[in-house]
Amino acid sequence: QVQLVESGGGLVQAGGSLRLSCAASGSIFSINTMAWFRQAPGKQREFVTSITSAGSTNYADSVKGRFTISRDNAKKTIYLQMNSLKPEDTAVYYCNAAVISTTRAQFSAWGQGTQVTVSS
């Protein structure tokens, strides 16, 4: 069994910053790409950013230059530094990981989500 636990969400004013964390635990052999998605009320879940085990990153156009993803492979943890936050960044942020378990099963794991609210 694999768990992803996000933390760091909260309420912030426009222009402010937040740092999210996502820690993976459980029966993990390895983790390939890890990513952040978000879902605003009434909207579909959307891709925000991803990072491979080698450190290659990818960002949605809407967050480029404002958000930075990083990763600590030893801790099985990723971080999302969010700067210059806008009200449209308000959403539940979900962590995702491409996991290979100790039984060599491959699957996509999701966290429970953390709320980010940006006030204008």
Side-chain angles (χ1 to χ4, degrees), residues 1-4 23-29 76 99-102:
Q1 194 170 1
V2 173
Q3 298 83 35
L4 299 180
S25 63
S27 303
I28 297 171
F29 173 72
K76 299 184 180 66
V99 175
I100 300 176
S101 72
T102 51

Side-chain angles (χ1 to χ4, degrees), residues 40-117:
K43 294 188 177 181
Q44 289 189 331
R45 190 172 298 188
E46 64 175 6
F47 170 81
V48 177
T49 179
S50 64
I51 186 167
T52 69
S53 56
S56 296
T57 59
N58 191 25
Y59 294 92
D61 287 343
S62 59
V63 306
K64 279 181 182 176
R66 300 187 299 121
F67 290 10
T68 302
I69 189 171
S70 59
R71 177 169 178 163
D72 185 332
N73 287 326
K75 295 182 178 180
K76 299 184 180 66
T77 298
I78 59 170
Y79 307 93
L80 181 62
Q81 179 66 43
M82 304 185 293
N83 298 328
S84 302
L85 283 161
K86 305 175 181 179
E88 51 263 43
D89 294 317
T90 296
V92 178
Y93 283 70
Y94 295 93
C95 177
N96 174 266
V99 175
I100 300 176
S101 72
T102 51
T103 62
R104 303 304 188 266
Q106 300 183 39
F107 56 91
S108 180
W110 289 91
Q112 81 287 351
T114 185
Q115 177 70 46
V116 171
T117 303

